[in-house]
Amino acid sequence: MENTEIKKSNVFFCEDFSAKDLNENKVGRKGLSLFKLKDMDVPVPDFFVISGLSFVNFCLGAFDTYEKKLLDKGKNPENEEVEDAILKYEFPKDVQEEILSAYTRLSGFTDAWVSVRSSVIFPEKEEVSFSGIFATQLNVRKFPDLLNAIKRVFSSMFTDDVVSYAQKMNIDLADVKIAVVVQRMVQSEISGVVFTTDPITQDETKLSIEAVFGLGDVISLGEITPDTYVLNKKDLTIVEKHISPQEWMKVRTMKANNGKNEERIKISSNWSHRQKVNDKDMKEISKIALIIENKSREIQNVEWVISGGRVWILQNKSLFSTNLEDRIDTSVINPSRKTLREVLVGFLEKYRGEREIVSQAVTEAQKMVKREGRFERLIQIAKQKKEKIQDSNTDTSDLLLSGIGASFGTAQGKVTIVDGPVDNAFTKEDILLIKKYSSDMETMIIASGGVIMDTGGLTSDTAILCRECKIPAVVGTQKASDILKNGDSVKIDGNTGSIYKLDVDAKEEVHPVVEAYGEDKVGGIDLLNKKEEVIVVKEENELNIPRDINLPPSATKIFCMADLKPKELFEYIGDSNGIVYIDLDRIMLEDGRHILSYVDKKKFVDYSSDISKKVLEYVELAQGEEVILSIGSGMVAEFKALTGGKEYENPTLSNEVYGGVRYVNNIEILRRVLRIIKRIRTVYKKRNVSLALHCPMNEDIMKEFKRILLGEKLKRTSSFKIYAILDNPAEIILADDIVDTKIDGLILNMPLIARQVQGIDIRAKNAKYDLNRNSIFKIVESVLEEVKRCDTKVIVVAENSKPLIKYCVEVGVYGISVFAKDIKEARNVVYEEESKLILSK
């Protein structure tokens, strides 16, 4: 076959091409592996592949057509908007004809049932598997449905979860393409996967087989714990059999059920405990897998089915004998695009070659090389401390249950039971107990510290994702969800498949600073080897904001107070971790007219735009770092003094009322303010902006506030956090009740609290209060103790009090907020205190 003919093809049919005629750039990894299997005379159901070039041309056409809708005015589109654009766009006529011709050949006299799967094209990093990342469409029949399924696979490239995965794996999605494999489906009586070496121990003398009754996607989804059989590769003698009871199986049906041509069928008690694959078929599957391994000269993961007594091979993948961490350089600052908008812009720029669309937020990456010396020593000591504490906290007598160790490593934290995607912001302190997996949960898993599943095996998507991201995992426990409950403290061991219960009262906790250094999650540059004279080197960035790269790193976040005008703040903010907080009430009060007055005059849109732009002057300076916008600092009397204020403020509230009480009793005012915040996040695409409410008083007010937030479609997400600002001593007592309303953190307004504790008028100008007193430290300690069980972030407004800053580091607060002019000094103080803490016995 001549190369010119191959280049013109949009579709590659299995009978027309040999693997030697093709490459990954044409048909992707999965497509190329199927052609190689066919060349080996391995039994493979008929298939054809839609080329990567077709994907690029189709998506370019769709994005050209809907470019304004997707990217106009700096918009960051939602997943659904991109999918809708792709689904509405039509394939060119010649491509449709090629697909129809291939489908007709594959079907014969009747429309065939087919699977439609992605076939990734990314030769730059073959070790990145993309397993379970892109969409798969099963049980597809008839040509219109086939076209729609292909489009859905195309659109699965452009989702927030894929963007998150690309960031984690240090890749640029603009360099990734997908081809699509369309393959005839066989009615699976038994399905499974065979590894030609143990994926965990990497014992090359043995192979392992996993098997279930019915369709095999239940293995990758982790819905069923499969049978596991281990055989010697040399003579195919059976070494081990682990039979897992199976109460139901998934089968394909002619009629759609809940939009899917599949249903669950209960398995009779006579069959549910039987061995899935007989010894003869087990050896036949092993022989085919070893043929594939021998001819490909690579360790294999082979997906198979048995239908009508015949073994079919559906697909195969190579397994790597080295750890993923050895092949991916995670020390390099991530070059990937961080938003869906940036991915689309990158795609258009790469393949269209034009520069009309400019990304609103261009992230400059600078490779920060850690110097030899004390900083490296601090990290090493912190790691040793953390491991010593964790080892001392676990005793084998605390063993709760066992399962299959699916991903190496150990982790400990609190259990969160999930049955689907949730909005919670997970951290490495969270151990996810997943009752039912879906691809929408990938971001949650990547953020977590470890994973437990009742079901699943070594080849489930969850297990593969955990191995790639170095997240410890134990699957196939059968009864973890019956034994464990939310909030339980556990340690999981992905090496042995063991789960231990931790005694919370007896265990020694790892200090947050030690935790951060131990995991090498410290920002900044080492300064402890500095000489007496330090040359200040400044980075340059999009706004030319000065940034001193010689400042020391810290685990404790150091935020900048918005105590100066933006032009003055410019000189200092580059050395901070963001802004805590911008006072939206003050900005609205400075405007001089009440917000509802603009509503009545039908000028709210203009007002909202003006206020947003004033906020943006601060937000732009943060360069993507976290910015917390506060509401509730203004008293009723101050808003009554505005033009039209008396008419719109709730007359039942006293003039001194402020914070949560004022807003939940003026719901229309609150809704309008929230729309301004939503405008900042959605219209101006400032996804780094979060919200804090002053003086929530109690849990009821906080719950009502969150209810109104949801009504305005402002939900907690990993990028939109909700904080409560505690302004008075009475709220300190109720801190645990307030955090129980499921917020992300507390901000302790220590200057305002100190005034009240020390008998000073909270509104007095130039008041002399003292943040260095033990009574102030005790308040911080009390709050941390109250919220410890919730792992809630605590940020302390410390202004320029060195003793308070030192104490905050000692007790392990998440962050401090200081005067802009004191950021550099605070950075040095924090680092010195963290160093002492790590080096102490």
Side-chain angles (χ1 to χ4, degrees):
M1 181 98 24
E2 294 182 7
N3 289 338
T4 54
E5 291 182 42
I6 296 175
K7 289 179 182 177
K8 291 179 181 178
S9 297
N10 291 297
V11 177
F12 301 91
F13 197 81
C14 60
E15 294 178 358
D16 297 342
F17 298 94
S18 170
K20 64 183 180 181
D21 301 322
L22 304 169
N23 57 41
E24 182 179 325
N25 280 316
K26 291 187 176 71
V27 294
R29 296 175 185 173
K30 190 171 296 179
L32 188 60
S33 72
L34 285 173
F35 278 102
K36 288 179 179 178
L37 291 176
K38 183 182 69 69
D39 290 351
M40 297 176 194
D41 291 325
V42 169
V44 179
D46 286 348
F47 66 93
F48 60 89
V49 182
I50 297 147
S51 70
L53 180 62
S54 297
F55 163 77
V56 170
N57 291 337
F58 179 86
C59 291
L60 272 179
F63 297 154
D64 278 339
T65 304
Y66 298 102
E67 178 182 330
K68 185 173 182 180
K69 182 179 178 181
L70 294 174
L71 300 173
D72 193 32
K73 297 181 180 178
K75 179 180 179 180
N76 185 31
E78 301 294 336
N79 298 352
E80 296 78 11
E81 292 178 291
V82 179
E83 182 182 48
D84 185 59
I86 289 176
L87 289 176
K88 286 181 178 178
Y89 191 69
E90 295 297 334
F91 279 100
K93 188 176 180 181
D94 60 326
V95 178
Q96 285 197 45
E97 289 175 352
E98 282 192 63
I99 296 173
L100 177 59
S101 174
Y103 181 58
T104 302
R105 286 178 67 185
L106 185 145
S107 297
F109 293 105
T110 60
D111 290 331
W113 292 94
V114 295
S115 62
V116 183
R117 306 174 190 264
S118 63
S119 180
V120 70
I121 300 173
F122 190 51
E124 290 86 351
K125 283 188 178 181
E126 63 178 11
E127 66 272 17
V128 182
S129 73
F130 296 90
S131 178
I133 298 300
F134 302 123
T136 293
Q137 302 288 308
L138 300 177
N139 304 312
V140 178
R141 191 166 181 252
K142 298 188 180 299
F143 182 61
D145 291 340
L146 173 59
L147 292 181
N148 196 53
I150 295 167
K151 293 177 187 179
R152 289 190 184 278
V153 174
F154 282 173
S155 70
S156 69
M157 168 88 167
F158 305 100
T159 67
D160 291 329
D161 282 335
V162 175
V163 174
S164 177
Y165 178 84
Q167 283 184 264
K168 178 72 178 178
M169 306 312 293
N170 269 350
I171 58 177
D172 187 346
L173 270 181
D175 296 330
V176 180
K177 298 181 288 186
I178 51 177
V180 172
V181 173
V182 178
Q183 188 172 30
R184 176 187 281 275
M185 293 191 71
V186 292
Q187 183 66 282
S188 310
E189 297 157 10
I190 306 168
S191 306
V193 180
V194 53
F195 285 103
T196 58
T197 192
D198 191 303
I200 299 297
T201 66
Q202 298 186 0
D203 184 348
E204 296 184 1
T205 66
K206 295 180 175 63
L207 60 80
S208 66
I209 300 173
E210 293 184 343
V212 295
F213 291 130
L215 295 175
D217 63 333
V218 296
I219 297 179
S220 62
L221 293 173
E223 294 178 337
I224 290 177
T225 302
D227 278 7
T228 303
Y229 319 116
V230 179
L231 291 81
N232 281 316
K233 291 169 72 172
K234 185 176 181 180
D235 56 9
L236 297 184
T237 55
I238 300 170
V239 179
E240 296 177 26
K241 290 182 183 179
H242 298 283
I243 312 301
S244 296
Q246 184 174 340
E247 297 178 353
W248 58 271
M249 67 178 180
K250 189 185 290 186
V251 298
R252 190 170 68 247
T253 60
M254 293 292 288
K255 293 184 179 180
N257 183 22
N258 293 325
K260 297 182 178 180
N261 292 97
E262 60 187 37
E263 66 176 331
R264 294 184 177 188
I265 295 178
K266 187 175 181 180
I267 299 174
S268 70
S269 57
N270 293 332
W271 280 90
S272 61
H273 288 69
R274 289 192 180 187
Q275 178 178 319
K276 311 296 187 302
V277 183
N278 62 47
D279 292 359
K280 179 183 176 183
D281 287 338
M282 204 183 297
K283 292 182 179 181
E284 178 66 19
I285 293 166
S286 301
K287 287 177 183 177
I288 295 173
L290 291 176
I291 289 171
I292 297 171
E293 181 187 57
N294 182 52
K295 292 193 175 182
S296 63
R297 297 182 180 180
E298 290 182 309
I299 299 167
Q300 293 292 307
N301 164 10
V302 181
E303 187 177 326
W304 55 269
V305 298
I306 295 177
S307 178
R310 182 179 180 185
V311 177
W312 292 93
I313 302 302
L314 301 184
Q315 59 179 330
N316 69 305
K317 300 176 189 175
S318 297
L319 289 179
F320 294 88
S321 58
T322 56
N323 291 327
L324 191 63
E325 58 188 288
D326 296 332
R327 290 174 279 110
I328 296 180
D329 185 5
T330 55
S331 65
V332 178
I333 286 196
N334 198 329
S336 65
R337 303 169 194 274
K338 297 183 178 180
T339 66
L340 193 49
R341 172 186 169 79
E342 290 178 4
V343 170
L344 294 183
V345 170
F347 183 91
L348 288 167
E349 288 180 345
K350 183 176 179 67
Y351 296 112
R352 190 170 63 185
E354 297 178 2
R355 297 291 181 261
E356 298 129 9
I357 301 177
V358 179
S359 178
Q360 197 172 30
V362 178
T363 305
E364 294 197 8
Q366 179 180 6
K367 295 179 182 179
M368 308 293 280
V369 180
K370 295 174 182 164
R371 300 172 185 157
E372 296 293 333
R374 191 176 174 191
F375 184 44
E376 308 295 350
R377 183 169 167 241
L378 288 177
I379 289 177
Q380 189 60 39
I381 292 172
K383 286 180 179 178
Q384 293 170 356
K385 265 193 170 186
K386 180 183 173 188
E387 290 170 1
K388 184 178 179 181
I389 292 171
Q390 289 180 340
D391 289 343
S392 68
N393 284 339
T394 304
D395 190 297
T396 53
S397 62
D398 297 325
L399 181 66
L400 272 182
L401 70 162
S402 299
I404 301 168
S407 180
F408 274 142
T410 62
Q412 64 184 53
K414 292 184 178 179
V415 171
T416 300
I417 301 174
V418 291
D419 199 13
V422 294
D423 289 336
N424 295 14
F426 293 106
T427 70
K428 294 303 177 183
E429 299 298 317
D430 294 304
I431 305 296
L432 299 186
L433 200 171
I434 299 173
K435 297 180 74 173
K436 185 178 180 181
Y437 171 80
S438 73
S439 59
D440 294 332
M441 300 170 73
E442 287 152 9
T443 304
M444 294 163 45
I445 292 172
I446 290 170
S448 72
V451 170
I452 302 170
M453 290 188 73
D454 282 341
T455 57
L458 296 175
T459 56
S460 65
D461 287 342
T462 305
I464 293 170
L465 181 63
C466 287
R467 287 197 289 273
E468 284 192 344
C469 298
K470 297 173 287 183
I471 297 168
V474 177
V475 301
T477 62
Q478 303 293 337
K479 53 185 179 180
S481 60
D482 295 328
I483 295 174
L484 297 171
K485 56 183 182 295
N486 281 317
D488 281 350
S489 293
V490 299
K491 175 179 176 178
I492 66 172
D493 189 336
N495 308 320
T496 63
S498 304
I499 301 173
Y500 302 89
K501 182 72 177 287
L502 294 180
D503 183 352
V504 179
D505 295 330
K507 80 168 188 173
E508 179 185 356
E509 294 188 353
V510 180
H511 193 284
V513 170
V514 176
E515 182 86 23
Y517 278 79
E519 294 183 358
D520 203 1
K521 292 181 177 178
V522 184
I525 296 295
D526 176 35
L527 189 60
L528 290 183
N529 285 321
K530 65 180 182 286
K531 297 180 180 178
E532 289 186 8
E533 293 184 6
V534 176
I535 300 174
V536 176
V537 181
K538 303 219 173 178
E539 288 184 324
E540 291 198 354
N541 40 57
E542 190 176 358
L543 297 177
N544 293 318
I545 294 174
R547 184 174 296 141
D548 186 351
I549 66 171
N550 280 317
L551 280 173
S554 68
T556 308
K557 299 286 186 182
I558 300 170
F559 296 101
C560 177
M561 295 171 62
D563 58 314
L564 301 174
K565 296 295 183 184
K567 288 183 180 179
E568 299 170 293
L569 208 62
F570 178 90
E571 291 296 322
Y572 309 101
I573 193 171
D575 297 319
S576 73
N577 295 114
I579 304 176
V580 175
Y581 40 82
I582 302 170
D583 193 332
L584 185 56
D585 275 20
R586 292 295 125 199
I587 293 174
M588 293 189 294
L589 286 168
E590 289 170 3
D591 178 76
R593 181 179 289 275
H594 199 280
I595 186 172
L596 294 187
S597 175
Y598 285 102
V599 174
D600 280 354
K601 293 180 179 297
K602 302 190 184 305
K603 293 184 178 180
F604 175 72
V605 173
D606 292 337
Y607 171 78
S608 174
S609 178
D610 290 342
I611 297 295
S612 297
K613 288 175 182 176
K614 290 176 182 177
V615 172
L616 289 172
E617 290 182 35
Y618 289 97
V619 177
E620 294 284 1
L621 298 176
Q623 295 281 281
E625 296 280 6
E626 184 173 12
V627 174
I628 298 177
L629 192 59
S630 79
I631 63 172
S633 70
M635 289 185 175
V636 169
E638 294 177 281
F639 284 98
K640 280 184 177 179
L642 298 177
T643 302
K646 291 182 179 179
E647 179 182 350
Y648 300 110
E649 287 295 314
N650 189 327
T652 65
L653 299 179
S654 66
N655 286 337
E656 293 75 25
V657 168
Y658 71 103
V661 175
R662 174 181 173 262
Y663 272 113
V664 298
N665 286 284
N666 288 279
I667 293 178
E668 182 57 26
I669 294 175
L670 176 56
R671 284 175 175 159
R672 294 291 175 172
V673 171
L674 294 178
R675 288 173 195 176
I676 294 174
I677 296 167
K678 189 175 180 182
R679 181 185 186 90
I680 292 167
R681 284 182 53 82
T682 58
V683 176
Y684 294 103
K685 299 303 170 187
K686 298 304 176 186
R687 301 288 189 181
N688 57 321
V689 172
S690 293
L691 176 62
L693 176 67
H694 278 274
C695 195
M697 292 303 293
N698 56 54
E699 61 179 318
D700 293 333
I701 290 175
M702 202 70 212
K703 285 179 180 177
E704 178 64 11
F705 176 70
K706 286 187 66 184
R707 186 189 66 79
I708 298 167
L709 272 177
L710 284 174
E712 293 300 318
K713 297 183 179 179
L714 281 168
K715 296 191 300 182
R716 283 177 68 210
T717 66
S718 59
S719 67
F720 181 62
K721 301 179 177 65
I722 300 173
Y723 294 85
I725 301 176
L726 305 190
D727 289 323
N728 65 68
E731 291 173 319
I732 301 300
I733 302 171
L734 299 173
D736 58 337
D737 293 331
I738 292 170
V739 299
D740 278 345
T741 60
K742 294 185 179 179
I743 60 175
D744 295 281
L746 298 175
I747 299 172
L748 306 188
N749 190 351
M750 297 315 297
L752 201 58
I753 292 172
R755 288 170 180 251
Q756 295 167 79
V757 171
Q758 296 161 23
I760 302 170
D761 184 354
I762 62 172
R763 297 299 177 182
K765 294 183 179 180
N766 302 318
K768 294 184 179 179
Y769 48 87
D770 187 359
L771 295 180
N772 301 334
R773 295 185 184 180
N774 283 335
S775 58
I776 299 299
F777 301 166
K778 288 292 184 184
I779 290 172
V780 176
E781 181 184 16
S782 172
V783 171
L784 285 174
E785 191 63 33
E786 292 274 356
V787 305
K788 185 187 296 182
R789 61 185 171 78
C790 305
D791 293 325
T792 302
K793 293 178 180 177
V794 175
I795 300 172
V796 177
V797 180
E799 294 188 338
N800 60 355
S801 170
K802 287 184 184 178
L804 180 55
I805 292 172
K806 290 180 179 180
Y807 185 78
C808 287
V809 174
E810 180 185 330
V811 294
V813 302
Y814 170 73
I816 57 172
S817 184
V818 301
F819 289 139
K821 292 181 179 180
D822 293 293
I823 290 172
K824 288 188 179 183
E825 188 171 7
R827 287 276 295 269
N828 283 291
V829 170
V830 167
Y831 188 45
E832 292 294 343
E833 287 302 306
E834 290 182 347
S835 301
K836 291 176 187 176
L837 193 152
I838 293 171
L839 295 171
S840 64
K841 295 291 185 182

